[in-house]
Amino acid sequence: MDKIMRKKILSYNLPYIGVEEIKEVINTLKSGWFTMGPKTIEFERLLARYIGAKYVVCVNSCTAALHLSLIALGIGKGDEVITTPFTFAATANVILQVGAKPVFVDIKKSTYDIDPEQIEKAVTKRTKAIIPVDYAGQPCDIEAILDIAKKHNLFVIEDAAHAIGAEYKGKKIGTFATTTCFSFYATKNMTTGEGGTITTNNKKLAEKLKILRLHGMSKDAWKRYSKKGSWYYEIEECGWKYNMTDIQAALGIVQLKKLDKFNNIRRKYAQIYTRELKKLEDIITPYEKPNVKHVYYLYPILLENYDRDKFIIKMARNGIQCSVHFIPLHLHPFYRKKFGFKKGDFPNAEWVYEREVSLPLYPKMKEKDIYRVIRTIKRIIKYE
């Protein structure tokens, strides 16, 4: 045991920050623009060009992006929004925060994303929107979901927190849905520490989102205090303090330049995991759909005949940190009490959750680290 514990601890996930990011942040601090200003505007322009979206609105988290999308689209009390229980709490919490009701539908066992057939069955007269999730970095079946939305006159707010740089049929995620919401949290494929963004091709919607993200003010700080600005502003909406800062945007500008490299490393390591682990009959490796580019924010395996919790403990004893994504929302105390959910309501989400382990996967890892994880897995479940 002492020998094992002396080994390097392999973290579950770590951000990759270099000298360039540090210099960019220092230059921003020296500029005097700490809050939203020229760097945020530049970051939005670069993101729009990278994703191919007409409009980009940067905010302080993906949660804020989802929340503002619902508000800007007029979704509120008495409305229903269809989403998946197999996601982080923010996806559904924001629906409740605008006074609407989250309606959960199950996932597909093969891809872990929301099942369009189940969406169709869940639509009612009160349904106003669908929030699909690009789980682990793999785009959902967005075309099928958009077809349902068009048929029933619904908005689609794509939760792409895991999927910056991912592609669907050769086109980057961020251009399909009414809005698409990305996360730049510390562990994501690129980071601004905390932060997020909304993409849309609707000009009026983008303008409203920009007003809502900063108290409902007609002008942000850049429009008021830059050389061409004017101090005068008006409150046009009841808004929030959801803006991104220039310090965050400075990080994002450099990280965006490295994003494709980061994603290529993730894909390379994922391919090694899949090649080696699919040989083991007790492990189900992630399925990558043929029409997408998966960017592997997560590498989730499923354990068929081995206790998941014991596996994670044994991996930790060998100096390898793992995680689980996610406990289905309907099993959490808050959602059970509020809506009367019980075990068995969404069997596919539960089946995946009971077996799922997220292995370490991030660009700061070395290839030898990936093979160390693989060797340790084989040893734990007695394949070595």
Side-chain angles (χ1 to χ4, degrees):
M1 179 65 71
D2 290 342
K3 184 178 180 182
I4 290 174
M5 295 309 292
R6 285 199 298 270
K7 285 184 178 180
K8 169 189 169 187
I9 299 296
L10 188 57
S11 299
Y12 159 67
N13 204 331
L14 288 172
Y16 200 135
I17 301 296
V19 174
E20 303 94 333
E21 286 90 339
I22 294 168
K23 286 181 178 178
E24 191 73 28
V25 170
I26 290 171
N27 289 337
T28 300
L29 291 171
K30 288 179 177 179
S31 76
W33 277 99
F34 292 2
T35 187
M36 190 169 64
K39 289 294 181 184
T40 305
I41 293 167
E42 181 185 357
F43 187 37
E44 288 177 339
R45 179 182 61 80
L46 292 171
L47 280 168
R49 186 171 68 185
Y50 176 81
I51 293 169
K54 290 183 180 179
Y55 306 102
V56 170
V57 181
C58 282
V59 289
N60 61 11
S61 69
C62 188
T63 305
L66 292 164
H67 190 206
L68 288 185
S69 292
L70 289 165
I71 294 164
L73 293 169
I75 296 166
K77 188 175 181 180
D79 295 335
E80 294 179 350
V81 179
I82 296 172
T83 191
T84 167
F86 198 61
T87 183
F88 185 61
T91 310
N93 284 353
V94 293
I95 299 169
L96 286 166
Q97 286 161 359
V98 299
K101 179 184 177 182
V103 176
F104 294 144
V105 302
D106 214 346
I107 60 170
K108 292 181 290 185
K109 273 188 178 182
S110 58
T111 59
Y112 321 146
D113 59 5
I114 194 167
D115 186 345
E117 290 185 10
Q118 298 300 316
I119 292 174
E120 182 84 57
K121 294 174 184 177
V123 175
T124 71
K125 291 180 179 180
R126 292 189 172 188
T127 307
K128 292 296 187 294
I130 306 165
I131 304 183
V133 175
D134 298 328
Y135 177 79
Q138 175 155 245
C140 60
D141 293 335
I142 191 64
E143 282 189 348
I145 293 168
L146 289 171
D147 286 344
I148 295 167
K150 185 177 180 181
K151 178 180 176 182
H152 297 281
N153 194 28
L154 307 176
F155 299 116
V156 177
I157 301 168
E158 188 173 3
D159 183 342
H162 296 181
I164 185 73
E167 296 178 6
Y168 180 88
K169 294 188 176 180
K171 191 176 178 182
K172 281 192 172 60
I173 289 299
T175 58
F176 295 92
T178 313
T179 67
T180 305
C181 302
F182 295 99
S183 173
F184 303 134
Y185 181 67
T187 59
K188 294 299 192 292
N189 295 39
M190 61 168 283
T191 185
T192 59
E194 291 277 4
T197 201
I198 311 163
T199 64
T200 183
N201 288 330
N202 185 310
K203 184 178 180 181
K204 287 185 178 179
L205 182 57
E207 289 171 350
K208 187 166 187 175
L209 288 164
K210 287 182 179 181
I211 290 170
L212 287 171
R213 73 174 166 185
L214 192 64
H215 303 296
M217 296 171 67
S218 58
K219 292 180 181 178
D220 58 37
W222 178 247
K223 289 180 179 178
R224 284 181 285 136
Y225 299 119
S226 63
K227 289 180 181 179
K228 296 181 180 179
S230 166
W231 67 269
Y232 184 80
Y233 67 89
E234 294 177 331
I235 300 298
E236 298 180 354
E237 299 271 359
C238 181
W240 282 259
K241 188 70 169 71
Y242 279 169
N243 62 287
M244 179 175 279
T245 71
D246 267 24
I247 298 169
Q248 293 169 303
L251 267 175
I253 287 167
V254 180
Q255 286 272 293
L256 183 60
K257 294 175 184 176
K258 301 177 178 181
L259 178 58
D260 285 343
K261 178 182 177 182
F262 289 165
N263 283 343
N264 287 338
I265 293 171
R266 286 178 178 273
R267 286 181 57 78
K268 176 186 174 184
Y269 290 170
Q271 287 166 3
I272 295 172
Y273 271 148
T274 298
R275 185 184 69 229
E276 297 299 319
L277 295 178
K278 73 178 182 181
K279 300 172 185 176
L280 312 183
E281 62 183 17
D282 292 317
I283 291 178
I284 299 174
T285 55
Y287 170 71
E288 182 172 341
K289 293 179 279 190
N291 60 348
V292 307
K293 180 180 179 182
H294 196 322
V295 292
Y296 290 98
Y297 166 61
L298 304 174
Y299 189 86
I301 62 168
L302 304 185
L303 298 175
E304 278 280 68
N305 298 300
Y306 198 94
D307 184 276
R308 189 265 309 280
D309 296 338
K310 287 182 181 178
F311 176 87
I312 292 173
I313 290 169
K314 288 187 177 183
M315 291 289 281
R317 286 175 179 167
N318 282 272
I320 299 170
Q321 296 178 353
C322 298
S323 192
V324 174
H325 296 86
F326 295 98
I327 302 172
L329 294 182
H330 72 285
L331 298 180
H332 284 283
F334 172 77
Y335 282 91
R336 287 205 317 266
K337 290 175 185 177
K338 187 167 183 65
F339 296 106
F341 290 127
K342 61 186 182 303
K343 189 173 175 61
D345 283 346
F346 304 99
N348 289 350
E350 293 173 27
W351 184 86
V352 173
Y353 158 63
E354 288 163 0
R355 294 160 174 78
E356 195 272 339
V357 179
S358 298
L359 301 180
L361 180 65
Y362 48 96
K364 216 169 185 178
M365 291 176 74
K366 305 295 183 186
E367 195 168 317
K368 66 180 181 180
D369 296 326
I370 300 293
Y371 281 104
R372 176 185 163 192
V373 175
I374 293 166
R375 288 195 303 272
T376 305
I377 292 171
K378 289 179 178 179
R379 191 163 60 246
I380 286 173
I381 57 177
K382 310 301 183 188
Y383 280 91
E384 278 192 356

